[in-house]
């Protein structure tokens, strides 16, 4: 919301010399967020000029310029720039005439840009200044010709300060309005907040306008909402006024144009500008109809199937059954609270105007605006809640301005439909505010603060009964009132105290392990990401089930994106989305990981049925148990994705592409950080490449999968053919790893190293052969690693050669070569016994 200071000063006293920063600081004290400041960025001298004469001079480039003589000061006086009263100025525009009053920027002035003005030679003349257009002054977008003051209804003497005359010396503060404080989308609301912050005298603009007497005969209005959303009728208030005989061609006053411009709204025409002006002033959206284009009275109703409406932007829109419409006897003439229809638009020929000021259901307006992609200043206010008591005053304010500025005559009476429910009292117990906020407030302080915001405060036994003001729909409970007390009496009174942790407390083991896993992956060069936790049903079916069996998923009741309404069962879809986004931006080598929750509901079981407890009371143990029972299992997983090169090409070394080995290494890092021994076995997963998928086991339990994505899925996701992935259940690994990690002593005696090559059938898993060698070699074997898997010449068909690097060491002596060889042969013998392995010659 942009608030011009001159406008604000009409309804609250601003001390002399109040700056934009002072106003921002005051509003921040009552919880309104500072955004920006806005000015016209002009520096004088900028004055009114009178065109005395001009000569049109064709140029060689085909353009015709005017060499003008312009009076910029009263006859016999010096101009504001110190020059003569008459200046010679070159102008390329041709929309002005001799005798016109214009705006002249004299040498030394500065226009927005910044664009300094100086006397300069052009087209064979010295142009001593510039005649300005509305766009050059920052008043609008019109740059086709210069600004003629007669079009604004202004006839001021030459030499008059144009900056003050046009309101260009005004400035505005901009604040961010949170969704719960829609009343601050108005000068009325911001002025009230400034008064709260400073104690300045506040004058309610709505109270300064007398609402017309309501008469059912003034104009017929009916509300017939047969399908209210959530049981709330679409329109609770609908006020009208009629003004006849207006002149729609009259210019909008300069002061109104300047205020609207500072507030971020473009001037269109006098009737439209007046409705926008009152909307900004009172926070009540207004719509004007060409009265002569209406047929019959107005009915507010829901749309019927197949109905269409051409809105003011020229588009024909197919309506939805939830859309709230303004209709006459012909059919729809507007989307209520969003945008009017083209058939009743106020135009240059309009002389009789029907003014509408209504109050619509916020949910209905929000849905319609989003459904038709039609955000507007009106819908923005209705979505947040508009004061239902201000509609009559707003309609009368528009009528008043149409009479004063457009020469119309207002009918004596207006119509009013008003069925807004009365606000109910909220009980605020003694010391409730003190107990919640942690500050000692007296009863008088609480009473005065709530009365200051406009509440009707009544002292009752044990506390107060407070009826919130009509413009504060956000005040619905005693906690809201407590927040208002804290806000108005100053947040600086709330102490800032850091809680003291009990001695001996710290991170839990699970927290330490999670941090250790994240650190280990990051230290290895991976980048942690946070992916979108919502997926499609198809993604859960593919990535959330290894064998393709049906799985249950949790569907969100009000999803942010209708295409991904389910909670994820796997982290891989999110990592794929991250990879796609990065690849599209030229990042071809990726190593990313995520630690996050997945959601694994049981098939056929309903979740989320427990009643939510009151927010400010501690739930009982039974309530907590019921709530916990109403949510699905949410284990914490770790997901890893690698694609592209894990080792860049460099002199003497070729690039190394990511593959299954890198996914397995990532899992080893995770297990090592968690203090667990990990085992791999040949596995299968419908989302992964057949033959390049490993089951991940800890203590014999399956905890995840690692390998490469199925080529079909990588093609569908526009990813490279080879994408290495791994996903493991970190919570399960932590449990299976046990509580203590035993550090092994470092051997001090020399080690003996030998290699062992065994030929086995191609279908025998290398891990099984390694386990047999390790068991057969006995306690002297300190380390075993598979270093080669060869299949080719010299190895029988259907077989493979596995080469293991072995390291032997004894704790009490230096091993001989014979002892190491005997241990190696013992391992080979056990592998031969179990799998028919033979030592390769």
């Amino acid at each position: 919301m942009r608030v011009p200071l001159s406008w604000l000063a009409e309804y609250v006293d601003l001390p002399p010399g109040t700056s934009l920063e002072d106003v921002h600081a005051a509003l921040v004290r009552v919880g309104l967020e500072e955004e920006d400041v806005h000015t016209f960025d002009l520096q004088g001298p900028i004055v009114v000029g009178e065109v005395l004469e001009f000569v049109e001079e064709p140029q060689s480039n085909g353009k015709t310029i005017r060499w003008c003589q312009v009076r910029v000061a009263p006859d016999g006086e010096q101009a504001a720039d110190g020059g003569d009263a008459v200046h010679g100025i070159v102008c390329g525009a041709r929309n002005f005439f001799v005798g016109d009053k214009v705006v002249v920027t004299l040498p030394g002035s500065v226009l927005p840009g910044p664009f300094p003005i100086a006397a300069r030679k052009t087209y064979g003349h010295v142009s001593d200044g510039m005649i300005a257009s509305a766009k050059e002054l920052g008043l609008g977008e019109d740059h086709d010709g210069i600004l003629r003051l007669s079009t604004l209804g202004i006839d001021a003497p030459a030499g008059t300060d144009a900056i003050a005359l046009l309101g260009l010396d005004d400035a505005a503060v901009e604040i961010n309005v949170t969704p719960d404080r829609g009343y601050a989308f108005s000068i009325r609301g911001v002025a009230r907040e400034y008064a709260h912050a400073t104690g300045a005298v506040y004058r309610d603009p709505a109270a300064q306008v007398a609402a017309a007497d309501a008469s059912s005969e003034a104009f017929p209005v009916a509300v017939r909402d047969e399908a209210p959303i959530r049981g709330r009728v679409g329109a609770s208030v609908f006020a009208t006024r009629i003004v006849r005989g207006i002149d729609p061609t009259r210019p909008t006053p300069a002061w109104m144009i300047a205020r609207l411009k500072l507030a971020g709204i473009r001037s269109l025409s006098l009737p439209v500008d007046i409705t926008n002006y009152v909307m900004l002033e009172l926070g009540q959206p207004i719509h004007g109809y060409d009265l002569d284009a209406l047929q019959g009275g107005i009915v507010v109703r829901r749309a019927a199937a197949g109905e269409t409406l051409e809105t003011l932007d020229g588009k024909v829109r197919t309506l939805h059954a939830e859309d709230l419409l303004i209709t006459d006897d012909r059919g729809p003439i507007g989307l209520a609270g969003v945008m009017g229809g083209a058939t009743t638009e106020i135009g240059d020929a309009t002389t009789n105007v029907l003014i509408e000021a209504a109050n619509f259901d916020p949910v209905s307006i929000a849905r319609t605006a989003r459904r038709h992609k039609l955000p507007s200043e009106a819908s923005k206010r209705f979505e947040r809640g508009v004061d239902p008591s201000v509609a009559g005053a707003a309609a009368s304010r528009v009528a008043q301005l149409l009479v004063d500025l457009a020469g119309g005559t207002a009918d004596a009476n207006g119509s009013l439909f008003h069925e807004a429910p009365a606000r109910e009292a909220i009980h605020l117990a003694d010391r409730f505010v003190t107990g919640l906020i942690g500050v000692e407030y007296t009863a008088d302080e609480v009473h005065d603060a709530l009365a200051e915001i406009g509440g009707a405060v009544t002292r009752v036994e044990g506390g107060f009964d407070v009826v919130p003001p009509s413009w504060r729909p956000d005040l619905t409970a005693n906690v809201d009132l407590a927040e208002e007390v804290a806000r108005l009496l100053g947040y600086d009174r709330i102490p800032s105290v850091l809680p003291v942790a009990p001695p001996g407390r710290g991170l839990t083991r699970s927290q330490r392990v999670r941090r250790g896993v994240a650190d280990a992956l990051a230290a290895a060069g991976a980048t942690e990401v946070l992916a979108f936790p919502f997926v499609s049903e198809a993604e859960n079916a593919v990535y959330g089930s290894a064998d393709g069996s049906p799985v249950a998923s949790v569907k969100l009741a009000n999803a942010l994106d209708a295409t991904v309404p389910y909670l994820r069962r796997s982290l891989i879809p999110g990592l794929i989305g991250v990879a796609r986004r990065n690849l599209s931006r030229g990042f071809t080598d990726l190593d990313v990981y995520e630690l996050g929750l997945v959601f694994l509901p049981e098939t056929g079981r309903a979740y989320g049925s427990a009643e939510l407890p009151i927010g400010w009371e501690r739930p009982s143990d039974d309530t907590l148990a019921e709530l916990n029972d109403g949510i699905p299992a949410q284990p914490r997983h770790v997901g890893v994705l690698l694609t592209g090169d894990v080792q860049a090409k460099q002199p003497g070394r070729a690039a190394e592409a990511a593959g299954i080995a890198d996914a397995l290494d990532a899992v080893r890092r995770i297990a090592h950080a968690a203090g667990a021994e990990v085992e791999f076995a040949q596995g299968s997963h419908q989302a992964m490449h057949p033959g390049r998928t490993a089951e991940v086991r800890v203590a014999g339990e399956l905890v995840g999968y690692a390998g490469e994505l199925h080529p079909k899925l990588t093609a569908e996701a526009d990813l490279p053919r080879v994408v290495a992935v791994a996903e493991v259940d970190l919570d399960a690994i932590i449990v299976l790893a046990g509580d203590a990690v035993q550090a092994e002593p470092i051997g001090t005696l020399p080690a003996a190293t030998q290699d062992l090559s065994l030929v086995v059938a191609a279908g025998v898993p290398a891990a099984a052969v390694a386990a047999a060698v390790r068991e057969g070699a006995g306690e002297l074997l300190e380390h075993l690693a598979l270093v080669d898997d060869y299949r080719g010449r010299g190895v029988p068909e259907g077989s493979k050669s596995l080469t293991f690097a072995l390291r032997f060491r004894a704790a009490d002596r230096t091993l001989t070569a014979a002892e190491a060889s005997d241990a190696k042969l013992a391992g080979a013998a056990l592998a031969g016994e179990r799998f028919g392995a033979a030592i390769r010659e």
Side-chain angles (χ1 to χ4, degrees):
M1 175 67 185
R2 298 182 180 183
V3 183
L5 293 197
S6 66
W7 205 350
L8 182 67
E10 289 187 8
Y11 304 118
V12 68
D13 293 337
L14 299 182
T18 300
S19 66
L20 296 170
E21 291 73 18
D22 295 335
V23 175
H24 259 151
L27 296 177
V28 167
R29 283 200 297 273
V30 287
L32 294 172
E33 299 176 14
E34 174 183 348
E35 284 288 324
D36 204 351
V37 296
H38 301 272
T39 66
F40 284 101
D41 294 327
L42 297 172
Q43 296 180 27
I46 300 175
V47 300
V48 173
E50 180 183 359
V51 180
L52 300 178
E53 62 177 0
F54 58 78
V55 177
E56 293 191 345
E57 300 179 353
Q59 304 298 311
S60 58
N61 60 4
K63 183 178 180 180
T64 298
I65 62 97
R66 287 181 173 181
W67 171 237
C68 308
Q69 299 301 311
V70 184
R71 182 181 300 281
V72 295
D75 190 21
E77 295 185 11
Q78 195 175 49
D81 65 338
D84 295 335
V86 177
H87 281 36
I89 298 175
V90 173
C91 185
R94 305 179 65 184
N95 68 320
F96 61 95
F97 308 95
V98 172
D100 274 345
K101 298 291 181 63
V102 295
V103 177
V104 179
T105 58
L106 297 175
S109 61
V110 180
L111 295 180
F115 180 56
I117 303 299
R120 64 189 182 94
K121 187 173 182 179
T122 179
Y123 294 109
H125 301 281
V126 175
S127 185
D128 202 14
M130 186 182 78
I131 305 175
S133 68
K135 184 174 183 179
E136 288 164 340
L137 295 171
L139 273 176
E141 299 302 318
D142 185 7
H143 197 49
D144 294 335
I146 65 161
L147 175 63
R148 300 168 60 217
L149 293 180
S150 60
T151 63
L152 300 178
I154 295 175
D155 184 13
T160 302
D161 182 1
I163 293 179
L165 181 68
L166 299 176
L168 303 179
D169 54 351
D170 202 358
V173 296
E174 183 176 358
I175 57 174
N176 177 42
V177 179
T178 53
D180 61 329
R181 302 179 72 177
Y183 65 92
F185 269 123
S186 66
I187 304 298
R188 180 193 188 207
V190 175
R192 182 183 287 110
E193 289 299 307
Y194 183 85
H196 294 335
T198 64
V201 176
Y202 169 69
R203 297 171 291 278
D204 188 350
Q208 300 177 27
V209 181
D213 294 333
S215 169
S216 60
E217 298 178 358
F219 191 85
V221 174
V223 176
R224 299 170 186 165
D225 187 357
E226 298 177 356
I229 298 176
R230 299 180 181 177
R232 298 181 60 175
V233 175
S236 57
V237 178
F238 203 102
T240 68
R241 287 296 303 272
I242 294 175
V243 180
R244 305 179 190 274
I246 71 166
D247 180 359
T249 63
R250 282 197 183 184
T252 301
W255 58 266
M256 182 176 285
I257 294 176
R259 285 183 174 180
L260 290 174
K261 176 67 176 178
L262 280 175
I265 292 183
R266 181 167 54 98
S267 174
L268 297 173
S269 66
L270 179 58
V272 175
D273 290 348
I274 287 173
T275 59
N276 285 332
Y277 186 84
V278 174
M279 175 185 67
L280 293 172
E281 185 173 69
L282 299 179
Q284 169 67 60
I286 304 289
H287 188 69
Y289 301 89
D290 186 332
L291 181 63
D292 298 327
L294 287 169
Q295 294 187 9
I298 280 180
V299 175
V300 183
R301 62 170 175 82
R302 300 288 172 181
E307 279 191 300
T308 59
L309 170 67
E310 182 182 355
T311 46
L312 290 175
D313 57 1
K315 295 183 179 180
V316 177
R317 303 180 183 277
T318 302
L319 304 176
H320 186 275
E322 279 190 356
D323 289 338
L324 191 67
L325 302 180
I326 310 297
T327 68
D328 65 2
D329 289 353
R330 289 172 302 181
I333 58 173
L335 276 173
V338 178
M339 185 174 285
T343 57
T344 57
E345 179 181 7
I346 294 177
D348 292 341
T350 300
T351 58
N352 301 319
V353 176
L354 175 72
I355 304 160
E356 165 212 307
N359 193 279
F360 299 115
D361 174 49
V363 173
S364 181
I365 301 306
R367 290 186 179 182
T368 296
R370 285 159 177 73
R371 183 180 301 117
H372 295 284
K373 296 180 174 61
L374 266 179
S376 65
E377 290 293 328
S379 66
K380 181 166 62 177
R381 286 163 173 79
F382 281 126
E383 289 175 16
R384 290 160 174 80
V386 171
D387 182 359
S389 69
V390 81
S396 294
R397 174 66 165 151
V398 173
Q400 178 191 73
L401 291 173
L402 285 173
V403 170
D404 295 343
L405 303 179
T409 302
D411 286 4
N413 295 329
S415 66
L416 178 63
F417 170 87
H418 194 292
E419 293 188 358
R423 299 296 300 269
E424 295 183 359
I426 301 171
H427 181 68
L428 189 65
D430 286 334
R431 296 193 59 77
F432 175 80
V433 179
T434 292
L436 184 67
I437 306 299
V439 176
E440 284 292 337
Y441 297 113
T442 66
D444 289 342
E445 285 181 317
V446 173
H447 176 281
D448 293 347
L450 296 177
E452 186 177 348
I453 66 170
V457 186
T458 304
R459 181 69 184 179
V460 297
E461 184 178 355
F464 297 101
D465 281 347
V466 184
V467 179
S470 57
W471 56 84
R472 295 297 302 272
D474 57 309
L475 303 182
T476 59
N478 55 0
V479 290
D480 301 325
L481 300 179
E483 181 181 350
E484 289 300 295
V485 173
R487 185 173 69 89
L488 265 65
L489 295 181
Y491 291 128
D492 56 331
R493 290 182 59 176
I494 302 174
S496 178
V497 180
L498 291 176
V500 179
R505 301 287 181 88
L507 298 177
T508 65
R509 178 173 179 271
S510 294
Q511 290 171 329
R512 291 196 302 273
V513 170
R514 290 201 296 268
R515 294 189 181 190
V517 167
D519 289 345
L521 292 172
T527 301
E528 185 173 9
V529 298
L530 293 175
F532 203 49
F534 310 124
V535 297
S536 66
E537 187 174 19
E539 286 174 322
N540 266 347
V542 171
Y543 297 97
S545 172
D547 57 4
S549 58
V551 293
S553 298
V554 178
K555 187 175 184 180
L556 300 175
N558 188 20
L560 295 175
D561 184 346
T563 63
V564 285
Y566 291 90
L567 291 174
R568 63 189 178 190
R569 293 183 62 94
S570 167
L571 301 181
I572 301 302
L575 293 175
I576 290 175
V578 170
R580 290 184 64 181
R581 189 176 306 109
N582 280 275
L583 285 167
S584 70
R585 296 173 182 175
F587 298 101
T588 56
D589 302 328
L590 298 174
D591 182 356
V592 295
Y593 71 96
E594 179 178 9
L595 278 79
L597 300 178
V598 297
F599 306 87
L600 308 178
E602 299 176 12
T603 303
R605 181 177 173 184
Y607 292 93
S609 58
E611 184 177 349
L612 294 178
I614 299 173
W616 58 87
E617 293 182 1
R618 179 178 175 81
S620 66
D621 292 342
D622 291 340
T623 301
L624 290 174
E626 185 179 359
L627 289 171
N628 288 327
D629 190 54
I631 58 177
Q634 300 178 30
R636 190 177 300 274
H637 282 199
V638 185
V640 178
L641 182 146
L642 304 97
T643 189
D645 292 338
V646 293
Q647 175 63 53
K649 182 180 179 181
Q650 53 189 295
R653 185 171 183 176
E656 296 179 15
I660 183 174
D662 301 289
L664 298 179
D665 280 344
V667 173
R668 291 189 185 98
R669 292 189 194 98
I670 294 169
H672 181 74
E677 290 290 336
V678 66
E679 301 171 354
F680 299 110
Q682 184 70 40
S684 64
H685 193 293
Q686 62 172 338
M688 302 181 76
H689 192 298
R692 297 183 185 175
T693 303
E695 292 182 349
V696 180
R697 295 182 177 274
V698 173
E701 296 290 334
L702 178 66
V703 296
Y705 293 87
E708 297 175 9
L709 277 181
H710 198 292
K712 178 182 178 182
L713 296 178
T714 60
E716 291 175 355
D718 300 317
L719 296 178
R721 179 176 176 82
V722 178
V723 177
V725 295
E727 182 173 5
V728 294
D729 186 338
L730 182 57
D731 286 350
I733 291 176
I734 293 173
V735 172
L736 294 170
D739 294 334
V741 176
Q742 182 64 48
E744 296 183 359
I746 298 176
T748 59
L749 295 174
T753 59
Q754 296 194 18
D755 289 342
L756 173 63
S757 295
L758 297 175
V759 178
V760 296
V764 177
V769 177
V773 172
R774 185 179 292 107
E775 181 182 345
E779 61 181 12
L780 294 180
L781 180 61
E782 183 181 74
H783 177 74
L784 176 149
L786 176 66
V787 295
D788 189 36
D789 182 337
Y790 174 74
R791 311 175 194 212
R793 185 177 180 181
V795 175
E797 186 176 353
S799 300
K800 60 184 178 182
S801 172
L802 301 177
T803 300
F804 299 96
L806 309 177
R807 184 172 70 238
F808 300 93
R809 193 193 309 266
D812 57 350
R813 66 189 187 281
T814 299
L815 291 178
T816 64
E819 288 178 307
S821 297
D822 289 343
K824 177 184 73 172
L825 294 175
L830 185 57
E833 180 181 333
R834 291 183 178 177
F835 306 109
I839 296 177
R840 184 181 175 190
E841 300 296 336

